Amino acid sequence: MINENLNLLLWNMENGADEAIGDAPVDYFAKSEEKISAVSAPLIPKATALEVAPAPVLPAVPLTQELLRDVKTLEELKTAMLNFNGCSLKATAMNTVFGGGVPESKVMLVGEAPGADEDRIGLPFVGLSGKLLDKMLASIGLSREKNVYISNILPWRPPGNRTPTPAEVALCLPFIRKHIELINPDILILLGGSSASALLATTEGVSRIRGRWLEYTIAETGKSVDTLVTFHPAFLLRSAAQKKIAWKDMLTVKQKLNALGEH
Ligand code: URA
C-alpha cells in the first residue's frame, strides 16, 4: 500500500503536480466569481427594503480595467495588483510575480505565467526556461540587466503549472496591457501561444505566426509596437529541433534593433 501511494505520488509529480493543495478538488472558476463579486461590492448600489431588483453582475474585465484607470506608474500598478483579490490563482500562489529587468528598455518580453521557481522567488523566468531565455537574448546582445524588461500575462502561478483558463487570462489581461503601456517598448516579443493569443487576439498557432513583424497597439496612446511571436523557451527545452528556428527569430529582432538604431 505504501509503495502504491508512493508510486501514485511520483506519477503525479512527473505530471507537474508539485504541490499538495487540498484533499478535495477546487473549482477555481467558481471561487474567482465569488471574489469578483466581493471586490465589485462597493460599485453596486445597495438594495433597500423597497428596492428588490437584483444587483447587477459586473463583468470581470471592465472591473479590472476600472481598478487601473488612475494608475500612472509601475509602482502604482504593482500596488494595484498586490491589493487585487479578484483572481483565485492568487490564493494558491506564493508571490505576485510582477516583472523584471530594466523598465526603461526598448525591448519587452511577455511570457505566460510564473512556474514553481518564479513563484518561489517572485521574479519572471528564473527557472530552467529562464536560463535558456537568457542565452537566447545574450546571443543578440540583450540582457535583463542592461536592456530588456520581462513580464507575464498572468502574475500568479496556476497550480501545478496548468494552462491558464481563458477566464483567468481575460481577468488579468488589463494588468499586462497597463504594464506594456507603462514600459512603452519599441519592440515586443511574445513568448509562446498563450501570450500571443491574449495580446494579439489571434487563434493562430505559434508556428504559423512566429518570426514576422505584427502590431500591438497600446490603446491609451495609440502607439503601434513592432511585435514578434516566438516559441516559448519551455517548449524549446522539450523540442530542441526548433531551437534553430527560434535563433532565426532572434536574428530578426537584432535586425530590427539595428534598423531602429537602438543597439
Ligand atoms: N514561463 C513563463 O511563461 N513565465 C515565467 O515567468 C516562467 C516560465
Side-chain angles (χ1 to χ4, degrees):
M1 185 63 177
I2 291 181
N3 262 355
E4 243 173 57
N5 286 342
L6 188 62
N7 283 338
L8 186 62
L9 187 64
L10 290 173
W11 184 80
N12 274 317
M13 286 168 72
E14 270 169 27
N15 284 294
D18 51 5
E19 240 171 63
I21 289 166
D23 291 336
V26 181
D27 182 349
Y28 288 101
F29 191 77
K31 273 176 164 266
S32 181
E33 293 289 313
E34 273 166 30
K35 288 196 177 173
I36 289 158
S37 34
V39 171
S40 61
L43 300 175
I44 299 172
K46 273 201 183 126
T48 65
L50 294 175
E51 295 166 341
V52 287
V57 177
L58 294 183
V61 175
L63 176 68
T64 323
Q65 264 164 7
E66 181 61 24
L67 283 176
L68 302 179
R69 208 187 38 192
D70 297 327
V71 165
K72 299 273 184 290
T73 65
L74 286 177
E75 212 41 55
E76 287 170 2
L77 176 59
K78 190 170 182 179
T79 304
M81 288 163 71
L82 290 172
N83 290 338
F84 181 70
N85 289 315
C87 180
S88 61
L89 291 178
K90 193 178 184 186
T92 50
M94 292 171 73
N95 270 302
T96 297
V97 178
F98 182 69
V102 180
E104 295 75 25
S105 299
K106 291 296 161 207
V107 181
M108 179 170 181
L109 289 95
V110 181
E112 179 183 285
D117 294 319
E118 290 76 18
D119 186 35
R120 197 170 45 249
I121 293 170
L123 288 170
F125 284 100
V126 289
L128 278 183
S129 55
K131 304 264 174 301
L132 175 57
L133 181 62
D134 284 342
K135 284 189 195 156
M136 290 162 67
L137 293 172
S139 73
I140 54 167
L142 297 177
S143 81
R144 60 180 105 191
E145 287 77 32
K146 283 192 310 208
N147 45 20
V148 156
Y149 187 84
I150 309 180
S151 188
N152 281 306
I153 298 288
L154 295 183
W156 299 291
R157 180 194 180 208
N161 294 349
R162 66 162 170 75
T163 305
T165 65
E168 288 160 353
V169 170
L171 183 64
C172 293
L173 201 52
F175 291 130
I176 189 65
R177 282 193 184 284
K178 178 58 80 172
H179 217 137
I180 296 170
E181 178 197 332
L182 294 172
I183 296 294
N184 192 27
D186 289 341
I187 293 181
L188 198 53
I189 302 175
L190 306 182
L191 301 167
S194 296
S195 174
S197 61
L199 288 170
L200 298 175
T202 175
T203 52
E204 298 266 29
V206 176
S207 307
R208 292 181 71 89
I209 55 172
R210 54 143 287 279
R212 58 194 159 91
W213 292 106
L214 305 167
E215 280 185 5
Y216 171 83
T217 305
I218 300 177
E220 289 70 11
T221 59
K223 174 172 168 174
S224 173
V225 184
D226 289 320
T227 300
L228 183 127
V229 177
T230 191
F231 292 121
H232 193 288
F235 168 76
L236 295 175
L237 286 174
R238 298 191 300 271
S239 319
Q242 306 297 325
K243 280 188 187 171
K244 62 174 185 289
I245 299 179
W247 163 240
K248 275 174 72 180
D249 294 346
M250 289 299 104
L251 291 180
T252 304
V253 172
K254 179 75 183 157
Q255 278 164 9
K256 177 68 79 177
L257 285 168
N258 288 343
L260 294 173
E262 288 186 351
H263 289 279

